[in-house]
Amino acid sequence: MRVFLNPGHDQHYDSGAVNPSTGLRECDVAAEVGGLVQGYLEQAGCEVAVVQSDNLNGESPWLPCVVQSANAWPADIFVSLHCNAANGQARGTETLAFAFGGESEKLARCIQDQIVDAVGTVDRGVKERPDLCVLRRTDMPAVLVEMAFIDNDEDARLLTEQTDEIARAIARGVTDYEQEAFQ
Ligand SMILES: [Zn+2]
């Protein structure tokens, strides 16, 4: 299976959310998790591409385009990696799918279940987000994982201290989906 990983935001142009007390940046967490997930998926026999870019769908043409790269490769599935942020109090993991009732929801449930089981985060469930560009413009089943809330100090600790467990869980979710979908 060809897996396209898109760590969210951009380490040069867009930090994403930042923890106000530690300065932990979403773009760095996403990049680290993305690299780890890539390794675990390659060990499991997947082909993996990783693109982290501020150009999601053509708005910054001097940078690699996330959506076009995934569609041109082409990927079998698309997984974007992000951290949530709200009011400092909210916690937990949620996985966003383009649509309910299709392959993206199945993939989202596989990943969501593995993260919640592995790390014990608050289970905020799978949500339908047809409005998100990376889910709407990609041709393959596409999900966006909000791993935990980076602006909540307890969740931020999970992101820094259980990075590897989170990455392993995402990789297991992908291979769980592969077994459901391709066998
Ligand atoms: Zn984000």
Side-chain angles (χ1 to χ4, degrees):
M1 190 168 62
R2 292 154 78 91
V3 182
F4 191 96
L5 298 175
N6 164 232
H9 306 281
D10 190 300
Q11 288 178 296
H12 300 289
Y13 299 105
D14 168 22
S15 66
V18 178
N19 181 288
S21 41
T22 65
L24 181 68
R25 304 192 307 166
E26 179 181 359
C27 62
D28 297 324
V29 173
E32 185 179 1
V33 172
L36 292 167
V37 174
Q38 176 182 24
Y40 292 127
L41 287 176
E42 286 175 349
Q43 282 174 24
C46 295
E47 284 181 73
V48 182
V50 182
V51 175
Q52 182 175 33
S53 173
D54 204 32
N55 180 11
L56 294 180
N57 192 32
E59 48 286 282
S60 308
W62 59 93
L63 299 169
C65 177
V66 172
V67 166
Q68 280 169 21
S69 302
N71 290 345
W73 187 28
D76 293 315
I77 63 168
F78 176 98
V79 180
S80 192
L81 302 169
H82 285 254
C83 306
N84 226 329
N87 53 9
Q89 303 299 313
R91 297 191 61 191
T93 300
E94 61 192 47
T95 304
L96 314 178
F98 172 68
F100 282 159
E103 293 300 312
S104 64
E105 182 186 3
K106 279 188 215 164
L107 173 60
R109 293 205 182 280
C110 289
I111 294 173
Q112 176 74 15
D113 289 351
Q114 283 287 357
I115 296 175
V116 171
D117 284 354
V119 190
T121 54
V122 175
D123 184 1
R124 299 170 63 91
V126 170
K127 298 181 178 172
E128 189 176 43
R129 286 295 299 274
D131 56 306
L132 292 177
C133 164
V134 293
L135 304 186
R136 189 176 73 243
R137 299 293 183 199
T138 41
D139 296 336
M140 65 294 305
V143 301
L144 188 152
V145 185
E146 296 277 13
M147 298 180 279
F149 281 76
I150 200 168
D151 66 344
N152 173 277
D153 289 336
E154 284 177 79
D155 261 22
R157 243 189 324 273
L158 291 178
L159 290 167
T160 53
E161 293 175 6
Q162 301 211 55
T163 319
D164 190 60
E165 285 82 355
I166 293 170
R168 284 176 186 270
I170 293 168
R172 281 197 305 273
V174 168
T175 55
D176 286 352
Y177 171 77
E178 182 178 28
Q179 285 176 356
E180 273 185 36
F182 291 93
Q183 283 170 20

